[in-house]
Amino acid sequence: MQKILLVEDEAKIARFIELELAHEGYQVDKAEDGRTGLDMARAGESDLLLLDIMLPGLNGLEVLRRLRKTSDVPVIMLTARDAVMDKVTGLDMGADDYITKPFSIEELLARIRTALRKQQSTTPAQLTVGPLVMDIARHTVTVSGVNVDLTGREFSLLQALLENKSIVLTRETLMERV
Ligand code: CA
């Protein structure tokens, strides 16, 4: 099941979006302020973020700016009105898309599907670090062209590490992935 992190301080809107997403089969985590949202996003368990801009604590743009130092998780910004500057700034900072409130739930769902699809298609078939080549589809690992025998669990662990090269992964995150 794909996990969506919703960072939105307006309880009514958050509840409405949560119900609709759950109905579509997504698992929804919620945060009501920027700092909590950033911490949850950094845990790396979400497949996509819906990030409101006007938030208490850190605003959405600041959350995005900090998150992008370590994560390329898809982010769709929720903007309160037709705030052109917010949109431009958000896209410049690495948001994948934005949607202006009030929006129809169908439009939001379509944008979520597009962002998730884009993310999947950019997942490489091979991961390489120096002489090490991991072929995801064939489930093989070679170092300087020589095959390395790995158990399924070792393969998953190595894959998780290679996919998050510049990020420190917690033990919990790794245990969940493997
Ligand atoms: Ca808000």
Side-chain angles (χ1 to χ4, degrees), residues 53 61 79 81-93:
I53 289 186
L61 292 172
T79 67
R81 55 200 175 284
D82 220 13
V84 177
M85 269 320 290
D86 285 350
K87 287 178 196 167
V88 171
T89 310
L91 292 173
D92 276 349
M93 284 180 170

Side-chain angles (χ1 to χ4, degrees), residues 7-10 13 52-56 78 80 101:
V7 190
E8 166 66 82
D9 58 317
E10 285 154 85
I13 297 179
D52 188 29
I53 289 186
M54 300 292 281
L55 289 169
L78 309 177
K101 297 179 197 172

Side-chain angles (χ1 to χ4, degrees), residues 25-111:
Y26 296 108
Q27 187 180 328
V28 183
D29 292 324
K30 283 192 298 184
E32 290 172 11
D33 66 85
R35 197 163 292 277
T36 308
L38 179 61
D39 286 343
M40 289 172 75
R42 277 180 173 157
E45 290 165 11
S46 310
D47 296 298
L48 182 139
L49 252 73
L50 293 177
L51 182 57
D52 188 29
I53 289 186
M54 300 292 281
L55 289 169
L58 295 175
N59 73 39
L61 292 172
E62 188 57 24
V63 171
L64 178 66
R65 191 182 70 79
R66 297 190 188 188
L67 180 64
R68 277 291 177 254
K69 290 180 180 171
T70 55
S71 168
D72 62 354
V73 64
V75 174
I76 299 176
M77 307 295 295
L78 309 177
T79 67
R81 55 200 175 284
D82 220 13
V84 177
M85 269 320 290
D86 285 350
K87 287 178 196 167
V88 171
T89 310
L91 292 173
D92 276 349
M93 284 180 170
D96 296 79
D97 204 351
Y98 59 82
I99 190 163
T100 307
K101 297 179 197 172
F103 46 79
S104 75
I105 199 70
E106 287 74 21
E107 184 181 2
L108 179 63
L109 291 170
R111 285 170 187 259

